[in-house]
Amino acid sequence: MDSLIKIFKALGDKSRLRILKMLQIRQLCVCEMTTVLGLATSTVSNHLSILKEAGLIFDIKDGKWVDYSINTQSSSLFITGLLPLLSFWLNDDEQIQMDAEKLKTAYRNELCR
Amino acid sequence: MDSLIKIFKALGDKSRLRILKMLQIRQLCVCEMTTVLGLATSTVSNHLSILKEAGLIFDIKDGKWVDYSINTQSSSLFITGLLPLLSFWLNDDEQIQMDAEKLKTAYRNELCR
DNA sequence: TAAACATTTCGATGAATATAGAAATGTTAT
DNA sequence: ATAACATTTCTATATTCATCGAAATGTTTA
């Protein structure tokens, strides 16, 4: 039950839902997400560690960047049950649409320097 | 998005998950749930108001008792997506099984007086 | 090697939350 | 009516959590 609670806690936060919805568009580094969210880098990094600890996302190091991705290949029934639902949900949300729009022009080589 | 966050927050608590899994067995009054959970009445009542506010359950007054039930007829896509998943999940969880066992002998006319 | 950069970790702070007990509300039964 | 009972609301407390800035870590580039 603890793993499910951890997942629901991770999902019960606006910033983290916005992160997940952005990652369902494409993989992102921390600075790209920070730009869209308008939060401190350390805050975003903390949110990412909570999502990762819950098993919802994973990260791969790419030089000085860290790429985060949705964990669609999870072996957890909780995760594989929830992620598809989330991909249908919130697509008409104003904030989520604004984030998606911003993402179109947010690339690490321009943003993070 | 706020309604979804409210739902995930409601689901991200052990006591409230136990309550939902009990209510998926049968409708219950507060004192029956209090007995199984081992929490103060006011605490359980508070949990129930959070679940109700999220739209996951509803209540019907029955004399001096209040019967709580799972809101399977919800018009929220979030609720109708999540409740079926939850009915498959946690059935092998030790705590959930113990709660179900206790429920078999927990009836308001014997417990609450 | 040294400077620049992306990210994480640490420390502090204010807000949200789970909990319990007491008081309040409303119903039933004597 | 009054006592007993189920539940909710109120008040207080201890813990958890979101957030930020600063320091630490590790990589790239000049």
Side-chain angles (χ1 to χ4, degrees), chain A residues 102-113:
Chain A
K102 274 193 190 172
L103 262 195
K104 290 180 184 169
T105 59
Y107 290 102
R108 68 190 67 178
N109 290 315
E110 298 156 23
L111 288 170
C112 321
R113 72 184 137 206

Side-chain angles (χ1 to χ4, degrees), chain B residues 18 36 93-103:
Chain B
R18 290 172 67 192
V36 176
D93 180 274
E94 202 172 329
Q95 177 76 72
I96 296 299
Q97 287 179 350
M98 276 178 53
D99 292 348
E101 203 58 35
K102 273 193 190 170
L103 263 194

Side-chain angles (χ1 to χ4, degrees), chain A residues 20-102:
Chain A
L20 285 175
K21 292 300 288 183
M22 287 195 285
L23 290 178
Q24 285 186 326
I25 297 174
R26 61 179 166 92
Q27 68 175 33
L28 295 165
C29 71
V30 180
C31 80
E32 289 169 323
M33 294 185 260
T34 300
T35 303
V36 175
L37 293 171
L39 294 173
T41 314
S42 60
T43 302
V44 175
S45 180
N46 185 49
H47 283 311
L48 289 167
S49 78
I50 289 170
L51 289 168
K52 183 180 165 185
E53 186 67 27
L56 288 157
I57 62 176
F58 66 93
D59 62 328
I60 294 178
K61 293 204 71 170
D62 174 24
K64 64 181 171 182
W65 285 292
V66 179
D67 275 319
Y68 282 90
S69 306
I70 290 276
N71 192 7
T72 46
Q73 305 299 313
S74 172
S75 59
S76 157
L77 284 181
F78 305 143
I79 304 283
T80 58
L82 286 168
L83 284 182
L85 287 184
L86 192 63
S87 75
F88 284 111
W89 291 340
L90 301 179
N91 295 321
D92 56 345
D93 181 274
E94 201 172 332
Q95 177 75 73
I96 296 300
Q97 287 180 350
M98 278 178 53
D99 291 348
E101 204 57 37
K102 274 193 190 172

Side-chain angles (χ1 to χ4, degrees), chain B residues 30-97:
Chain B
V30 180
C31 80
E32 288 169 323
M33 293 185 261
T34 300
T35 304
V36 176
L37 293 171
L39 294 173
T41 312
S42 60
T43 303
V44 175
S45 180
N46 185 50
H47 283 309
L48 290 167
S49 78
I50 290 170
L51 289 169
K52 184 180 165 185
E53 185 67 27
L56 289 158
I57 63 175
F58 66 93
D59 62 327
I60 294 177
K61 293 205 70 171
D62 174 24
K64 67 180 170 181
W65 285 292
V66 179
D67 276 318
Y68 282 90
S69 305
I70 290 276
N71 191 8
T72 45
Q73 306 298 314
S74 172
S75 59
S76 158
L77 284 181
F78 304 144
I79 304 284
T80 57
L82 285 168
L83 284 181
L85 288 184
L86 192 63
S87 75
F88 283 112
W89 291 340
L90 300 179
N91 295 320
D92 57 346
D93 180 274
E94 202 172 329
Q95 177 76 72
I96 296 299
Q97 287 179 350

